[in-house]
């Protein structure tokens, strides 16, 4: 049997029109928004995935479009979230924001993809499939809520999430690019004098080294001392045998 020639891969075989003109975007609201505020210097939110249902519920109040306030529900890492998300004592409703800390480069360590938290079962059973989320870690994907990710500096190094408490009101203003906890300065100062949230011990010498030498997500969460070696390919190091 004669073999058929292999046809080269062409991108248009998979995507009918991969390049779009500026005035004909796939999504007019696509992209990310950089936020700042009391809780962090820098974080990002993927605005392109905000669903019509989420926008109608949170972001279309007359006179306060693209602004909403939520009551924080704070979790100490992913295990705490999984153990307590259905705890009736938390009294989580549609006006709450799920917050996870201890998930950054130093706190985890390594910055975990755990910010994509689901609501408690009783809200899902009512058809509320998403709540706003906030965290100092990463997220592997975003569905239809404005998850605020990569909050830097993280809680493990004294960032604003370290003093946030369950019940605090968080105000998001997408127009102004702000995320603020509505807590007065004196109370913040008092909380900063309390013990920092716990972080797990290092499990290996490599985790310990990583924690000692790694910067924040705002700067790429890279080994700080490794930056000076970025041009190593231009001059091959000597080999050892």
């Amino acid at each position: 049997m004669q073999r058929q020639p292999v046809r080269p891969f062409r991108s248009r075989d998979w995507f009918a029109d991969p390049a779009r003109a500026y005035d004909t975007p796939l999504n007019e609201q696509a992209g990310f928004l950089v936020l700042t505020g009391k809780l962090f210097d820098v974080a990002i939110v993927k605005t392109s995935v905000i669903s019509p249902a989420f926008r109608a519920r949170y972001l279309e109040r007359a006179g306060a479009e693209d602004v909403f306030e939520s009551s924080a529900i704070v979790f100490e890492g992913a295990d705490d979230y999984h153990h307590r998300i259905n705890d009736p004592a938390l009294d989580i409703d549609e006006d709450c924001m799920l917050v996870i800390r201890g998930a950054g480069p130093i706190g985890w360590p390594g910055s975990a993809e755990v910010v994509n938290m689901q609501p408690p079962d009783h809200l899902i059973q009512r058809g509320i499939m998403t709540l706003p989320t906030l965290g100092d870690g990463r997220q592997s994907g975003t569905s239809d809520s404005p998850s605020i990710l990569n909050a830097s500096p993280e809680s493990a190094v004294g960032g604003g999430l370290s003093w946030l408490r369950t019940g605090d009101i968080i105000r998001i203003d997408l127009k102004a690019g702000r995320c603020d906890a509505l807590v007065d300065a004196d109370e913040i100062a008092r909380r900063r004098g309390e013990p920092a949230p716990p972080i797990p011990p290092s499990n290996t010498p490599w985790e310990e080294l990583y924690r000692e030498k790694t910067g924040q997500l705002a700067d790429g969460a890279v080994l700080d001392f490794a930056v000076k070696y970025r041009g190593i390919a231009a001059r091959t190091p000597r080999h050892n045998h």
Side-chain angles (χ1 to χ4, degrees), residues 78-93:
D79 289 343
D80 185 37
Y81 160 72
H82 288 297
H83 289 158
R84 292 199 300 132
I85 184 60
N86 288 309
D87 185 349
L90 292 178
D91 196 23
I92 301 174
D93 61 21

Side-chain angles (χ1 to χ4, degrees), residues 1-223:
M1 184 175 65
Q2 184 178 9
R3 295 181 62 185
Q4 296 297 315
V6 177
R7 183 165 59 88
F9 171 81
R10 295 175 298 178
S11 62
R12 62 177 177 273
D13 294 337
W14 285 53
F15 305 100
D17 188 7
R20 304 283 296 193
Y22 180 82
D23 56 355
T24 59
L26 289 172
N27 186 337
E28 293 185 359
Q29 303 296 323
F32 292 86
L33 182 66
V34 177
L35 301 178
T36 190
K38 288 184 178 180
L39 291 172
F40 45 75
D41 294 338
V42 177
I44 58 172
V45 55
K46 189 176 181 181
T47 55
S48 61
V49 298
I50 298 176
S51 69
F54 191 96
R55 182 169 293 279
R57 190 178 350 139
Y58 292 103
L59 299 171
E60 294 185 350
R61 292 183 301 156
E65 292 79 4
D66 288 330
V67 178
F68 69 94
E69 295 180 0
S70 293
S71 178
I73 306 294
V74 181
F75 298 101
E76 306 289 352
D79 289 343
D80 185 37
Y81 160 72
H82 288 297
H83 289 158
R84 292 199 300 132
I85 184 60
N86 288 309
D87 185 349
L90 292 178
D91 196 23
I92 301 174
D93 61 21
E94 57 265 44
D95 294 319
C96 291
M97 176 181 291
L98 306 180
V99 180
I100 190 167
R101 64 188 177 196
I106 309 304
W108 193 264
S111 184
E113 294 182 340
V114 295
V115 183
N116 46 323
M117 296 172 284
Q118 291 185 327
D121 292 346
H122 75 271
L123 288 184
I124 293 176
Q125 290 165 3
R126 286 174 47 199
I128 299 173
M129 309 304 291
T130 58
L131 289 175
T133 61
L134 165 64
D136 52 12
R138 298 177 296 123
Q139 183 168 316
S140 59
T142 308
S143 53
D144 58 357
S145 67
S147 300
I148 301 170
L149 317 167
N150 297 20
S152 301
E154 63 183 297
S155 62
V157 298
L161 292 186
S162 67
W163 53 257
L164 189 69
R165 301 289 185 266
T166 291
D168 289 345
I169 301 301
I170 298 176
R171 188 174 193 270
I172 307 295
D173 186 334
L174 295 179
K175 287 185 177 179
R178 297 282 307 184
C179 173
D180 293 293
L182 305 185
V183 179
D184 64 50
D186 289 342
E187 176 61 13
I188 293 173
R190 186 193 68 79
R191 293 180 186 181
R192 286 194 178 278
E194 297 177 347
I199 62 173
S202 297
N203 295 296
T204 68
W206 313 118
E207 286 189 356
E208 183 175 344
L209 178 65
Y210 181 88
R211 279 173 156 157
E212 288 178 357
K213 301 296 185 181
T214 299
Q216 291 295 290
L217 282 167
D219 298 313
V222 299
L223 295 171

